[in-house]
Amino acid sequence: MSNQNVLVTYSAPVSFLASENWKQVLAALQSQLPLRSIHWKSASRPNLKTIQELELTLVPLDSLRDEHTSQVPVTLLEKPLLNLYVVTCEDNDLYKTTVKKQIKDWHSSISQRKNQEWIIVHVVRSDVKTTDRKFFNMKSSVLDKIKADFNVDKRDRCVQLSWTAGDHSPVIWADLVNKIKDGLLSALDLSVSQREEEVRRSESQRQMPGWNFCTFFILKESLASSFEGVKLFEDALHQYNELEVSFIQVLREKNMSWFGSLIQPVDKDDSVPLLSITKKHYRDLILANSISVFDFRIYLLSRQCALLNKMRRPSEICQKVTTFLGTFGRRLREVEAKLSEYFIESWIFSSALSVVDQCDTWATTTELDSIQLARFSASKGELLELAKTQLDIIGVKVGHLPKKLPFATTCMEETALHPEQISKRLSTRRISNHEIILAIRDKEAFYDLYCATSNRAIDMYVKAGRRKIALKLHGFLAALDIHRGRLASALAIFTSLPAHYAPHMWISLESFVLSRALDIHAELQNPQDREWIHILLAYLRTCTNDMSKELTSELDQEKSVTQLIRALHTAAASLDSDLVHTDHPIMAVQVSGDATCSDDEDLVLVDATVSNHLPCDVFVDEINITLRGRDSERLKFIAKVDKLPPGQLTVTLSCPSSSWGLYTLESSEIVMSRVHFQWQHTGTVTTAPKRNQISLVRVPHSLRALDVQMRQPQQTELGTTSHLLLVISTGRNDISRATIKLTPPSGVQFNYSAARLEAEGTETLEASDNAIVLLDAPVDADIIISLPHSDASRYHTMKIWLNVTYNTQSSMGVIRTLQTSRVVTVSLPIAVNVEDFFRGKRLFSKFTISATSHQHVRISSTELQGARSLDGVKISGCRPSRPVVTVMPDHPVNFLFSIESSNGPVLDPLNLVIKYRILRDEVEALVRQTVESVLSSMPVEKPQYGSLRRMLIDKLVAQLESDAEWVEAYRATGEIILPRSFEDEGDFQGPILEALAQCRPETASPCPWREIKIPVDVPRMNIVTAAQITIQPPSLPSDIQSAQLPPIYAGQPINATLIFKTSFHWAEKEGKQRCYTMRYDVEERVKDWLLCGRKRGDFVATDGGSFAVPLTLIALHHGEITLPKVDVRPLPILTQASMGSTVPSADACQVHGAEKVLILPRGGRSTYIVGMGGEYE
């Protein structure tokens, strides 16, 4: 139906219409079109409707003919909705005599028209304005008179336009445009309300005799066409949707007297474009009550799709057409015998393709975002797939396609005509679609058309992201290749499809495709190679799931799972290399519980549950699992198995290892010749199947198994190569050969070639550059190996990974492992700081020893030793008050040594030797001694002695570690009181607790003392200065000492002497002959002393020289007052070598630093007069 714009008439005096000014006004008015943003709020509609753009057609009033009203309503826009009358008069007299009558005649003719509005436009020239209108001029304007004469109701229909030729500004036209919008909306509202009332009245009469659905349809369609004309496409579509609902209701009532038959086919009905409304005179057929249901539904669908196109919703067009073709196609099957052969298939095929082409044409003017484009492509894909389905029906009927899946479906058999119906076919017409005709006649043409249509549908589905449906169509093409004998091509397609089906869990389709791939592989007689194994494994994966009966009902009985498994076992043995397949569901492995240790050898056993989900035996060779520990150590357990019966089987797996701890099940594997089925049980969400829960396996510690511990050596000397001690406990193993590899932290390297045994025995070390190789180690031996390593001072502790592989004399062919990590402390438990004091020819060194951790450290002795070749040096130290001193984290210990050198500075370094042990080691040694003593006094069998001893020691140490309350009591009395009791397997608890609770001296522990030797450099000093202030009252002889001084009072001047004595004893030899300039500065203590004399000055220092300065001191208060301190420092000296200055090293001591002077308060007499009262006051 052609779109019709809204009509607006204009009228004016004949002279003005013929003038050039009118042409300019009309052109300027047309430039303001189309009208925009028109908001319509109708009383009959709850929502506000917005018309974005509205095209108007301006026509002269005289051009319209007053024809009789047609009985066939077409649209409300056939007649004008608004009438304009243009007036240019500006003279009141002229208006009164002439213009008023002209307007009145026009108004009379317009008022007789229903549902039409009118506006009088008064045009004035803005550049020629009248100037006779004064403020007090009571004479009204022409516009006022027009409003007074014609605005009979409250609505203002008169507007003035101040216009200048060539001025198209929207501001000037705003009032007129708004009046036009209001007039159009008012007229439209009246027209629509009247037409809606007519529609409601007609619909209410549908049960009355004489009511005609076709007449009702034309009436309601006129309303839809009107909405379409004013760009209200949503409302127009709503009218057609209501008409469709009304038609369905009429169809259900089976009151079809207003229609012809279901279909009256004519030539090319099966091939013309579906959405074309010009191919037939549909409205005439509707008015004549002779339109068929087929034509009526097509016309209604075409109108709906045309509106959807204007609303820019192409995907809905395709969806609506797909639904229509499917539903009405099934309706046509009821009268298929009356139609020409293949008419329904040709009509659906042609209609689907024509709608796809039509939508592509419409979509070229529409911009779609990614989501809309995907929906549009999916909708077109559905239409193309529907067209392909018609080719399936035609192909099966003609014989181009086999009558089986996937081409022949159940619904196809239900709709097929019986032979007697085919013989009674009434129509003699033939279909007109040339492509279908050619496809029926020529098999190759049919195949080309089938592939082209399928590929178009696949392309649309891929663009829409619907890969599942695209893959389904690929399966159809593969089935077609099988039918055509192109087996290689079909095999390639069927082999590639499962990879796309599997992620979407389309198990039935995947199973069907894989079974077809196996069939084709057998038909081609291809070898059962890796490719065949992959296909078979993929097919077996689907066998563990519920498969669709529809797709598997015709599988050959010979292709049973049992035969496939046997064929798989045979093919696996013929492979030239291993084939790994991960996470296959036909089998599963889970750990049943914690592991156990063998009593006779280093062997760990674990039970695993193996599930076989197939209904037959599976022949395998080996089952193994891998456990991963906390430090990524791995244990591999293996069991040899011949076959797995259906269901679950418990298998015991073994691992020759002495490792222990908590492990997780990392992976499992079942080996079938060269095919390895593997499952990952830990990892990320994407790598670990959701059904596999993390399994924890606890491997117990066998006390008789091989063990390796690490510790620091007993003697440590700073500045030399560092060593670690490896303690290898053989347990029950008579080691033949053990290879120990250590992985230290970054920056540390071990010197394996320099490793040595700490004690001699039957065992030996074999030279190696990358590992420690131990040979011939006996049973129950603790072998200590010293291993040097590079500097590790930047680490407090080192975590070292140990990997030990060993075999025993009793089982040479079994390689056992120990994978573990050890943490060893490499930093010293104590820190040493030194402070030096020079006193003439003697040097006092104070060493402060503090703990570097929370551990308490026992110190047995400290010695400052010099080399034997060191002459003239005497070193003496203070005797400690206790034989053992304890250093705590918050309580350091000081040691003082005196160095007396007769030959000047000491050039060779000294060594500070400290013997210490950690309190923890001391207590552990006591615990070990106590346990051994108790066990030796009780009847314990020798084979159980070692494991029982280790168990008791571990439990006691764990008890002490759990609570530190026993530490204070142990430091005071030597008693070890456990926080709580422990469980044992015998009557050992009482004697052990009693023995530990005894008092003992600090030296009672059998723990050996460690020794650390720290090199100490003796400092050198260029100048050693002794500063002394002596007090000598002038009235006393000079030989009287300060202790014999007479009383000194506050405020009394005191004569004093500042004496400096310098020595170069601790300087280099070449420095002893030099002289240095020294500067002194006496401390100013203004609260204690008033100082007079040279408080600051310089003097020359020589070796053994002295310098004296007289001073006067005045005490400012009484009490014991210390003498002022003196600061002495050397001045820089010039050096010729560096062309600069240097400051020599110097040390100064205050000889009077500990002296105090007693100052007495000054005595005096004071007289006071005290009043006694009475008459004398």
Side-chain angles (χ1 to χ4, degrees):
M1 182 178 293
S2 61
N3 294 331
Q4 184 176 359
N5 294 337
V6 176
L7 293 179
V8 176
T9 68
Y10 60 85
S11 183
V14 178
S15 59
F16 180 66
L17 291 177
S19 65
E20 189 67 28
N21 288 337
W22 166 244
K23 295 180 181 179
Q24 295 177 359
V25 172
L26 182 61
L29 178 58
Q30 290 177 337
S31 68
Q32 305 302 315
L33 303 179
L35 300 180
R36 293 177 174 84
S37 300
I38 304 175
H39 305 289
W40 178 29
K41 182 65 174 71
S42 175
S44 61
R45 284 173 170 76
N47 298 327
L48 180 68
K49 301 292 183 181
T50 300
I51 303 173
Q52 299 296 338
E53 288 187 357
L54 183 61
E55 295 285 351
L56 301 183
T57 301
L58 300 176
V59 296
L61 180 62
D62 298 339
S63 63
L64 299 179
R65 297 291 182 264
D66 292 333
E67 300 177 353
H68 296 289
T69 304
S70 174
Q71 296 298 323
V72 182
V74 179
T75 175
L76 299 176
L77 306 182
E78 287 182 325
K79 294 181 179 182
L81 295 179
L82 183 64
N83 302 276
L84 302 179
Y85 191 85
V86 183
V87 179
T88 59
C89 176
E90 299 182 14
D91 185 9
N92 289 336
D93 296 334
L94 180 62
Y95 168 76
K96 186 183 300 184
T97 58
T98 306
V99 176
K100 180 178 180 181
K101 184 178 182 302
Q102 294 174 347
I103 299 176
K104 191 173 184 179
D105 294 340
W106 170 81
H107 184 265
S108 299
S109 62
I110 293 300
S111 301
Q112 298 176 1
R113 303 188 178 193
K114 293 182 179 181
N115 302 329
Q116 295 187 20
E117 282 290 339
W118 55 270
I119 297 175
I120 300 175
V121 183
H122 183 216
V123 180
V124 296
R125 298 288 298 272
S126 60
D127 53 348
V128 185
K129 293 184 180 180
T130 58
T131 58
D132 58 346
R133 297 188 62 183
K134 306 297 183 179
F135 180 76
F136 294 103
N137 189 2
M138 302 303 295
K139 188 176 181 180
S140 60
S141 64
V142 174
L143 179 63
D144 296 335
K145 292 183 178 297
I146 294 174
K147 292 182 177 181
D149 294 336
F150 295 99
N151 283 340
V152 291
D153 52 9
K154 294 183 180 180
R155 184 173 179 182
D156 185 12
R157 293 183 174 85
C158 302
V159 62
Q160 188 177 61
L161 177 64
S162 298
W163 173 78
T164 303
D167 192 351
H168 295 177
S169 174
V171 178
I172 298 175
W173 294 88
D175 291 341
L176 177 58
V177 170
N178 291 333
K179 289 289 184 182
I180 292 175
K181 290 182 180 179
D182 294 340
L184 290 175
L185 291 178
S186 177
L188 180 64
D189 190 39
L190 291 174
S191 300
V192 170
S193 299
Q194 180 180 350
R195 185 57 54 87
E196 287 179 340
E197 180 62 29
E198 294 174 0
V199 171
R200 282 193 295 269
R201 184 166 54 252
S202 175
E203 189 173 11
S204 64
Q205 298 173 355
R206 62 182 305 163
Q207 302 298 333
M208 298 178 63
W211 186 81
N212 191 310
F213 177 80
C214 293
T215 304
F216 171 74
F217 179 86
I218 295 297
L219 180 64
K220 194 172 181 64
E221 187 187 26
S222 66
L223 192 59
S225 302
S226 303
F227 286 135
E228 183 180 1
V230 295
K231 306 295 180 63
L232 293 175
F233 303 124
E234 191 76 35
D235 295 81
L237 181 62
H238 182 67
Q239 300 300 319
Y240 280 113
N241 292 340
E242 289 182 347
L243 282 172
E244 185 177 8
V245 173
S246 298
F247 172 77
I248 294 174
Q249 186 175 357
V250 169
L251 197 62
R252 289 174 180 173
E253 296 172 355
K254 298 182 179 180
N255 188 3
M256 306 297 294
S257 59
W258 309 290
F259 299 93
S261 60
L262 178 63
I263 181 173
Q264 297 173 358
V266 298
D267 293 338
K268 297 185 178 180
D269 259 358
D270 64 304
S271 60
V272 292
L274 179 67
L275 302 182
S276 173
I277 61 174
T278 60
K279 57 190 176 185
K280 291 183 181 180
H281 301 288
Y282 289 107
R283 288 181 58 84
D284 295 339
L285 293 173
I286 295 174
L287 290 172
N289 294 336
S290 61
I291 189 169
S292 64
V293 176
F294 176 77
D295 291 333
F296 178 79
R297 290 302 307 274
I298 290 177
Y299 174 72
L300 183 59
L301 176 69
S302 302
R303 296 299 302 132
Q304 291 173 320
C305 292
L307 289 172
L308 288 172
N309 171 53
K310 293 181 180 180
M311 296 166 65
R312 298 183 179 181
R313 288 149 65 174
S315 60
E316 293 187 25
I317 297 175
C318 297
Q319 294 171 2
K320 197 170 190 65
V321 171
T322 303
T323 304
F324 169 74
L325 293 177
T327 55
F328 203 79
R330 289 190 294 271
R331 181 71 184 280
L332 290 179
R333 294 290 178 188
E334 300 173 4
V335 294
E336 185 176 4
K338 300 178 181 180
L339 303 175
S340 57
E341 192 176 10
Y342 308 118
F343 175 85
I344 300 175
E345 292 81 7
S346 177
W347 172 69
I348 297 178
F349 178 85
S350 304
S351 299
L353 296 185
S354 67
V355 171
V356 171
D357 295 337
Q358 182 65 58
C359 288
D360 286 337
T361 303
W362 284 341
T364 54
T365 59
T366 304
E367 294 184 2
L368 302 176
D369 57 23
S370 58
I371 298 177
Q372 294 174 335
L373 187 60
R375 292 175 181 173
F376 183 39
S377 299
S379 302
K380 290 192 294 182
E382 292 173 358
L383 278 173
L384 292 168
E385 185 181 5
L386 182 61
K388 193 267 314 172
T389 304
Q390 308 313 308
L391 295 179
D392 288 338
I393 299 173
I394 294 174
V396 171
K397 287 182 179 181
V398 176
H400 297 338
L401 295 176
K403 193 176 182 180
K404 62 179 182 179
L405 291 174
F407 306 108
T409 59
T410 305
C411 61
M412 190 181 300
E413 297 176 358
E414 294 175 354
T415 58
L417 293 177
H418 296 290
E420 58 271 13
Q421 292 177 317
I422 298 175
S423 61
K424 296 179 181 180
R425 187 181 295 274
L426 300 178
S427 177
T428 58
R429 287 192 179 91
R430 296 185 178 276
I431 60 175
S432 58
N433 190 313
H434 298 290
E435 287 183 327
I436 299 296
I437 295 173
L438 182 60
I440 293 173
R441 295 175 181 175
D442 187 0
K443 183 183 296 187
E444 292 300 324
F446 174 84
Y447 293 150
D448 293 341
L449 181 61
Y450 190 92
C451 294
T453 306
S454 300
N455 286 327
R456 285 186 64 184
I458 290 171
D459 183 54
M460 289 297 104
Y461 282 131
V462 170
K463 290 181 179 178
R466 298 189 178 183
R467 301 186 61 86
K468 295 181 183 178
I469 307 178
L471 294 172
K472 181 184 70 173
L473 296 181
H474 276 294
F476 278 87
L477 293 179
L480 180 62
D481 286 333
I482 295 176
H483 177 66
R484 299 174 67 182
R486 300 180 178 182
L487 299 181
S489 176
L491 179 61
I493 296 176
F494 278 131
T495 305
S496 62
L497 286 181
H500 301 282
Y501 284 128
H504 305 291
M505 304 300 292
W506 282 24
I507 305 301
S508 57
L509 282 176
E510 184 182 2
S511 178
F512 171 75
V513 168
L514 290 169
S515 65
R516 299 299 298 154
L518 291 173
D519 290 342
I520 298 171
H521 195 281
E523 291 180 17
L524 291 174
Q525 297 182 354
N526 289 344
Q528 294 180 348
D529 52 3
R530 283 177 175 267
E531 180 182 359
W532 179 83
I533 292 177
H534 280 295
I535 299 174
L536 177 57
L537 291 177
Y539 173 72
L540 292 176
R541 180 190 298 271
T542 64
C543 292
T544 59
N545 298 275
D546 295 332
M547 296 183 296
S548 173
K549 299 296 183 181
E550 181 182 358
L551 297 178
T552 60
S553 59
E554 297 186 7
L555 293 178
D556 296 335
Q557 295 299 326
E558 297 179 359
K559 192 195 304 178
S560 63
V561 177
T562 304
Q563 293 175 343
L564 291 175
I565 289 296
R566 291 177 180 175
L568 175 62
H569 191 271
T570 304
S574 62
L575 293 177
D576 55 354
S577 61
D578 292 341
L579 176 62
V580 178
H581 201 88
T582 59
D583 297 330
H584 204 285
I586 63 172
M587 294 177 288
V589 180
Q590 281 295 332
V591 177
S592 303
D594 291 339
T596 58
C597 294
S598 174
D599 297 332
D600 302 327
E601 57 180 334
D602 291 356
L603 186 69
V604 183
L605 305 175
V606 65
D607 291 338
T609 302
V610 184
S611 302
N612 177 13
H613 299 140
L614 295 177
C616 63
D617 294 340
V618 177
F619 299 96
V620 298
D621 300 325
E622 178 185 300
I623 300 174
N624 63 74
I625 64 172
T626 300
L627 302 183
R628 186 180 67 181
R630 180 169 51 185
D631 294 323
S632 298
E633 64 269 22
R634 287 172 171 81
L635 300 180
K636 187 173 183 179
F637 293 77
I638 301 175
K640 300 294 182 180
V641 180
D642 295 332
K643 66 178 180 179
L644 300 177
Q648 293 185 345
L649 176 66
T650 301
V651 180
T652 301
L653 299 91
S654 62
C655 175
S657 176
S658 56
S659 301
W660 59 279
L662 186 64
Y663 293 80
T664 60
L665 179 59
E666 181 182 43
S667 64
S668 58
E669 182 183 50
I670 297 178
V671 180
M672 179 190 293
S673 188
R674 285 191 172 274
V675 177
H676 295 250
F677 296 91
Q678 294 181 353
W679 296 267
Q680 290 294 325
H681 299 265
T682 59
T684 62
V685 177
T686 56
T687 58
K690 294 183 180 179
R691 63 178 181 274
N692 289 338
Q693 302 296 327
I694 296 179
S695 300
L696 296 178
V697 180
R698 190 178 304 277
V699 178
H701 185 196
S702 177
L703 300 180
R704 294 280 293 159
L706 179 75
D707 192 18
V708 179
Q709 298 293 333
M710 302 186 71
R711 66 169 186 256
Q712 285 186 327
Q714 292 297 112
Q715 295 183 349
T716 303
E717 182 176 356
L718 299 185
T720 61
T721 303
S722 302
H723 291 74
L724 284 179
L725 296 183
L726 274 72
V727 181
I728 303 174
S729 301
T730 60
R732 57 172 163 249
N733 300 281
D734 50 346
I735 303 296
S736 173
R737 180 184 180 90
T739 302
I740 307 169
K741 292 184 178 181
L742 296 89
T743 304
S746 175
V748 180
Q749 294 181 350
F750 289 110
N751 186 4
Y752 294 104
S753 59
R756 57 182 177 84
L757 294 170
E758 288 291 299
E760 294 183 359
T762 60
E763 66 276 356
T764 58
L765 290 181
E766 182 180 299
S768 177
D769 293 333
N770 56 0
I772 297 175
V773 180
L774 177 65
L775 303 177
D776 302 328
V779 177
D780 292 328
D782 290 338
I783 302 165
I784 302 176
I785 301 175
S786 176
L787 179 62
H789 63 85
S790 61
D791 179 50
S793 58
R794 60 173 176 167
Y795 294 102
H796 174 68
T797 59
M798 286 197 306
K799 187 174 184 179
I800 301 174
W801 171 253
L802 289 168
N803 187 0
V804 183
T805 59
Y806 61 99
N807 59 0
T808 61
Q809 298 287 350
S810 58
S811 54
M812 295 290 293
V814 179
I815 303 299
R816 307 180 190 275
T817 61
L818 170 60
Q819 300 178 16
T820 185
S821 61
R822 294 288 182 261
V823 177
V824 57
T825 302
V826 293
S827 63
L828 295 176
I830 56 176
V832 180
N833 294 321
V834 61
E835 188 177 2
D836 297 312
F837 305 93
F838 290 92
R839 296 295 183 266
K841 294 183 179 181
R842 301 180 69 183
L843 171 63
F844 294 93
S845 294
K846 184 179 73 171
F847 293 91
T848 302
I849 301 177
S850 58
T852 58
S853 65
H854 64 282
Q855 295 285 349
H856 294 201
V857 182
R858 301 276 206 185
I859 296 180
S860 172
S861 65
T862 57
E863 296 181 9
L864 188 62
Q865 300 175 351
R868 295 181 179 179
S869 59
L870 193 62
D871 297 330
V873 178
K874 180 181 178 182
I875 302 174
S876 58
C878 298
R879 295 184 61 184
S881 59
R882 299 178 60 181
V884 176
V885 181
T886 304
V887 179
M888 293 180 289
D890 55 348
H891 184 68
V893 176
N894 297 322
F895 292 91
L896 186 64
F897 293 93
S898 171
I899 303 173
E900 189 172 355
S901 174
S902 59
N903 299 327
V906 180
L907 302 180
D908 296 333
L910 307 179
N911 290 318
L912 178 65
V913 181
I914 304 173
K915 291 185 178 181
Y916 71 97
R917 65 187 178 197
I918 300 176
L919 187 66
R920 175 192 173 93
D921 297 340
E922 178 181 310
V923 174
E924 284 188 10
L926 280 174
V927 169
R928 189 180 301 107
Q929 183 186 41
T930 303
V931 169
E932 292 175 351
S933 176
V934 171
L935 291 179
S936 62
S937 63
M938 301 182 71
V940 179
E941 297 181 3
K942 187 173 182 180
Q944 299 178 354
Y945 177 81
S947 59
L948 184 60
R949 167 180 168 274
R950 184 179 298 182
M951 182 269 294
L952 291 174
I953 292 173
D954 291 344
K955 286 188 176 182
L956 289 170
V957 172
Q959 289 285 330
L960 295 174
E961 287 178 343
S962 63
D963 195 343
E965 292 182 357
W966 57 271
V967 175
E968 292 299 327
Y970 174 75
R971 288 183 57 249
T973 63
E975 299 174 342
I976 302 177
I977 302 175
L978 265 67
R980 54 184 179 274
S981 61
F982 65 95
E983 297 179 359
D984 58 3
E985 299 178 354
D987 299 330
F988 308 108
Q989 182 175 161
I992 291 176
L993 295 181
E994 182 180 355
L996 290 176
Q998 295 179 358
C999 295
R1000 56 180 62 84
E1002 296 173 335
T1003 58
S1005 175
C1007 178
W1009 293 97
R1010 297 178 182 271
E1011 182 179 288
I1012 180 174
K1013 184 179 294 186
I1014 303 174
V1016 178
D1017 292 328
V1018 180
R1020 303 171 190 177
M1021 195 64 61
N1022 290 334
I1023 309 166
V1024 176
T1025 305
Q1028 182 180 10
I1029 297 177
T1030 60
I1031 297 175
Q1032 183 69 41
S1035 59
L1036 295 178
S1038 59
D1039 57 347
I1040 296 179
Q1041 301 297 326
S1042 59
Q1044 303 172 354
L1045 292 176
I1048 302 176
Y1049 298 93
Q1052 175 184 349
I1054 304 172
N1055 294 328
T1057 304
L1058 176 58
I1059 302 173
F1060 298 99
K1061 294 181 180 180
T1062 57
S1063 172
F1064 298 167
H1065 178 77
W1066 297 97
E1068 301 286 348
K1069 292 183 178 181
E1070 58 273 9
K1072 293 184 178 181
Q1073 307 300 325
R1074 303 188 59 174
C1075 297
Y1076 301 96
T1077 302
M1078 309 291 289
R1079 177 166 294 175
Y1080 70 92
D1081 190 356
V1082 183
E1083 177 187 16
E1084 296 235 11
R1085 293 167 56 185
V1086 295
K1087 293 183 179 181
D1088 296 332
W1089 300 100
L1090 181 62
L1091 188 61
C1092 300
R1094 290 184 60 187
K1095 296 179 291 184
R1096 183 181 297 106
D1098 298 340
F1099 67 92
V1100 177
T1102 59
D1103 187 14
S1106 63
F1107 176 75
V1109 179
L1111 296 174
T1112 301
L1113 300 176
I1114 300 176
L1116 299 180
H1117 61 86
H1118 65 274
E1120 285 189 339
I1121 306 175
T1122 59
L1123 294 173
K1125 295 183 179 180
V1126 182
D1127 177 43
V1128 184
R1129 61 184 182 275
L1131 295 180
I1133 57 176
L1134 298 177
T1135 58
Q1136 297 180 356
S1138 61
M1139 298 300 291
S1141 60
T1142 59
V1143 178
S1145 59
D1147 183 70
C1149 65
Q1150 310 288 324
V1151 178
H1152 59 278
E1155 296 181 3
K1156 291 184 179 180
V1157 180
L1158 178 61
I1159 306 297
L1160 301 177
R1162 180 178 294 275
R1165 177 180 296 176
S1166 299
T1167 303
Y1168 298 93
I1169 301 175
V1170 182
M1172 300 299 293
E1175 59 183 356
Y1176 298 103
E1177 289 189 11

